[in-house]
């Protein structure tokens, strides 16, 4: 008998990684907004909160282990990009 076990990679990519990449990409929109518009800061704060919310949801799908997972690194990088864009626009 042969047993083949496979992880559902598409689920993790579409539900966890792709939204983080989109949120990181959206953080650059603040650079193109006119400086006199008051929504630059609000938009940046909303993105940071969205990254935190995605992080909370993603922790339910990740295994508990002592090692740093790739998904954790992607989330930290996404949060860093959004926070830097927030400070630059504020």
């Amino acid at each position: 008998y042969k047993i083949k076990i496979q992880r559902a990679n598409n689920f993790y990519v579409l539900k966890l990684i792709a939204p983080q990449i989109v949120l990181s990409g959206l953080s650059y929109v603040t650079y193109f907004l006119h400086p006199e518009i008051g929504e630059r800061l609000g938009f940046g704060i909303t993105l940071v909160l969205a990254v935190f919310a995605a992080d909370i949801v993603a922790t339910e799908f990740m295994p508990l282990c002592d090692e740093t997972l790739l998904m954790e690194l992607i989330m930290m990088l996404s949060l860093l990009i959004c926070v830097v864009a927030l400070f630059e626009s504020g």
Side-chain angles (χ1 to χ4, degrees), residues 69-83:
L69 302 174
L70 178 63
M71 188 63 213
E72 291 173 346
L73 293 175
I74 291 171
M75 287 189 179
M76 284 188 253
L77 181 63
S78 177
L79 182 63
L80 178 70
I81 289 170
C82 289
V83 168

Side-chain angles (χ1 to χ4, degrees), residues 56-90:
I56 291 169
V57 170
T59 53
E60 296 175 7
F61 296 112
M62 289 189 279
L64 297 174
C65 62
D66 293 334
E67 300 161 359
T68 303
L69 302 174
L70 178 63
M71 188 63 213
E72 291 173 346
L73 293 175
I74 291 171
M75 287 189 179
M76 284 188 253
L77 181 63
S78 177
L79 182 63
L80 178 70
I81 289 170
C82 289
V83 168
V84 167
L86 177 65
F87 284 134
E88 286 291 324
S89 66

Side-chain angles (χ1 to χ4, degrees), residues 21-67:
I21 293 172
V22 169
L23 289 173
S24 296
L26 282 174
S27 68
Y28 291 107
V29 170
T30 59
Y31 295 119
F32 299 110
L33 292 175
H34 198 268
E36 295 171 358
I37 296 175
E39 293 300 317
R40 291 175 68 178
L41 188 60
F43 183 73
I45 291 171
T46 303
L47 283 175
V48 170
L49 291 174
V51 169
F52 272 124
D55 186 22
I56 291 169
V57 170
T59 53
E60 296 175 7
F61 296 112
M62 289 189 279
L64 297 174
C65 62
D66 293 334
E67 300 161 359

